[in-house]
Amino acid sequence: MASSDKTINTDVPEKDVFAIHFLQSLSNLTTQNPFNSPDTTNYRARKIKKAAYVSMAKAAGGSSRLWSRALLGRAAKENNKIVRFARRKRKVTWKISSKRRSDQRAPEATDRLRNLVPGGGTMETSKLMEETAHYIKCLSMQVKVMQCLVDGLSPK
Amino acid sequence: MLEGLVCQESLDMSVLERLKWLQQQQHQLQHVVSQSSNNSPELLQQILQLHGSNNDELLQGGFSQFQMIGSGFGPNYNMGYVPSHEAMDGCISRTSSCQMDPVDAMDVLLKNGEEDKPISLKNKRKAEVKTREEEKTEKKIKVEAETESSMKGKPNMRNTEASSKETLKEVSEIPKLDYIHVRARRGQATDRHSLAERARREKISKKMKYLQDIVPGCNKVTGKAGMLDEIINYVQCLQRQVEFLSMKLAVLNPELELAMEDASVKQFQAYFTNVVGSSKHSIMVDVPLFPLDQQGSLDLSAINPNQATSIEAPSASWETQSQSHYNTSSLGFQY
């Protein structure tokens, strides 16, 4: 499943890994269901969606990708649990320092992308592109897994 | 029918088609149709097997088989959309620098399609142009690579001549530790900042090209803005798909009472692996996977010795992977 470029590495683990994590999170969900929460379809759908994202982040690289870290951090915050990863050493190049100086950036074309990709707010554009590529691959894998599940569960 | 669908979808994977597919899905959600999904399993397998080594485990790992199982939402969008998406992915992501391989793959894939000849010709022409361009820019890439490799903290680049005579960018010296001797192009500034800026821009455009290979349908749009739009659209589409599928799962969930029973847990493994209908080996597999406390107790001792005989390759890999990942994935929260 590896499609590695010369300099860019965006390997994504196989479908099995995603499937395992997703099923795990789903079973966690069902065992954790409190009796005071409304059991409507919307509520359950939202829970499943959150579980899907978190399982995808775990499966796709844990803490080795910026977007997965941001996703997991966000989910942990919603749960009122603080999870902090070991901070990777960031090389502060002169580019980054010059960006910090200019507070008002003209509305860039990449702003929308930053909003979509988790953790994209404070990344260099080249890094954003890498993260987007990996994110897209993981998302499509997650979609496939969920599709498999839905197809299997749907009444025959 | 199927081939036409595959050809069409793999070529025109634009936003409109995706939206149409989404709408189709939503319609189908309303009325669950029970069809027999044995339309053309051989053909599907054939198509899926053409993708080569990249997505082998993915596709042959039960995805195609799995499409056979699920008939609730019709084989149309299943086999039309997703494998063609796979096709694009497999074809294009296989090569990074040379465009020749996708041509062959596309040729084989579209062997029955009507658009066979013009598409293959177009791709070959593209490939030729690409190779010619690559020869020209080869030196430039070399320079870039050397530039990147030596740019650690500060980019230290020195120019030998602020020349307007040169039209090609050449490497005039083998780079030393920190210095790259570059001849600037005609009419371009040669101070340090703009050179660094140019290198940065080239890095970004290289990554955009890589993204272009991943996102289907991005080849038609040129220019950074258009490609960005396509990419953003694609990401939004994928996110919407996830939301939609989670809604579907939520609908299906209470009716089937998922993870509380052993039988359904074992079925899950069958969904993702190759074998359909035989749950013996999968029992062996799900034991390390789901050691959670469930109402229906998993009898580990009873199950284990019986199923030790034949473990097939996919389930074995599943098991080892699941063990390793289950051990390492411990971030300690409830999802």
XYZ file of all heavy atoms in Angstrom, chain B residues 141-151 171 173-175 180:
122
model
N 16.394 19.978 -11.231
C 16.010 19.210 -10.050
C 17.240 18.854 -9.247
O 17.225 18.852 -8.029
C 15.249 17.951 -10.472
C 13.894 18.344 -11.061
C 15.035 17.025 -9.300
C 13.147 17.193 -11.601
N 18.306 18.577 -9.974
C 19.536 18.268 -9.257
C 19.952 19.434 -8.392
O 20.313 19.280 -7.243
C 20.643 17.939 -10.267
C 21.333 16.622 -9.983
C 22.633 16.499 -10.697
C 22.474 16.445 -12.190
N 23.748 16.418 -12.902
N 19.864 20.596 -9.027
C 20.235 21.791 -8.256
C 19.335 21.922 -7.056
O 19.770 22.170 -5.948
C 20.121 23.046 -9.137
C 20.276 24.279 -8.290
C 21.175 23.003 -10.210
N 18.067 21.715 -7.296
C 17.109 21.858 -6.208
C 17.404 20.875 -5.104
O 17.372 21.200 -3.930
C 15.718 21.630 -6.767
C 14.654 22.234 -5.918
C 13.312 21.846 -6.457
O 13.051 20.638 -6.520
O 12.562 22.742 -6.832
N 17.709 19.646 -5.515
C 17.971 18.629 -4.499
C 19.183 18.999 -3.690
O 19.203 18.902 -2.477
C 18.139 17.272 -5.163
N 20.168 19.477 -4.404
C 21.366 19.845 -3.660
C 21.096 21.045 -2.786
O 21.592 21.162 -1.684
C 22.502 20.131 -4.632
C 23.013 18.866 -5.292
C 23.744 19.168 -6.583
O 23.651 20.298 -7.077
O 24.392 18.258 -7.089
N 20.286 21.922 -3.334
C 19.934 23.085 -2.525
C 19.244 22.652 -1.250
O 19.579 23.102 -0.166
C 18.994 24.005 -3.317
O 19.524 24.189 -4.613
C 18.846 25.324 -2.616
N 18.293 21.768 -1.394
C 17.535 21.360 -0.221
C 18.414 20.615 0.753
O 18.292 20.745 1.950
C 16.377 20.472 -0.644
C 15.261 21.267 -1.268
C 14.128 20.366 -1.674
O 14.199 19.163 -1.358
O 13.209 20.858 -2.303
N 19.306 19.815 0.193
C 20.098 19.004 1.113
C 21.050 19.861 1.910
O 21.436 19.513 3.011
C 20.871 17.951 0.341
O 21.778 18.602 -0.519
N 21.438 20.964 1.358
C 22.398 21.769 2.096
C 21.733 22.864 2.893
O 22.380 23.529 3.680
C 23.398 22.397 1.139
O 22.768 23.478 0.487
N 20.477 23.047 2.712
C 19.803 24.110 3.452
C 19.386 23.576 4.799
O 18.402 22.890 4.924
C 18.556 24.568 2.691
C 18.793 25.778 1.824
S 17.278 26.696 1.641
C 16.668 25.992 0.147
N 24.405 23.941 -12.797
C 25.263 23.822 -11.621
C 26.685 24.000 -12.086
O 27.190 23.238 -12.905
C 25.083 22.448 -10.974
C 25.986 22.324 -9.792
C 23.647 22.266 -10.575
N 29.373 24.233 -10.045
C 30.364 23.562 -9.225
C 29.676 22.498 -8.402
O 28.487 22.552 -8.143
C 31.000 24.554 -8.257
C 32.236 25.224 -8.796
C 32.878 26.022 -7.672
O 32.861 25.556 -6.523
O 33.354 27.123 -7.960
N 30.439 21.590 -8.027
C 29.922 20.623 -7.057
C 29.761 21.350 -5.738
O 30.676 22.046 -5.302
C 30.897 19.447 -6.901
C 31.038 18.740 -8.248
C 30.401 18.471 -5.865
C 32.068 17.656 -8.233
N 28.630 21.262 -5.123
C 28.406 22.071 -3.924
C 29.279 21.601 -2.779
O 29.505 20.428 -2.577
C 26.939 21.845 -3.609
C 26.638 20.534 -4.240
C 27.500 20.437 -5.450
N 25.948 26.764 -2.483
C 25.539 26.294 -3.799
C 25.861 27.404 -4.780
O 25.448 28.535 -4.595
C 24.036 26.024 -3.837
C 23.679 24.955 -2.817
C 23.613 25.632 -5.207
C 23.618 23.615 -3.371
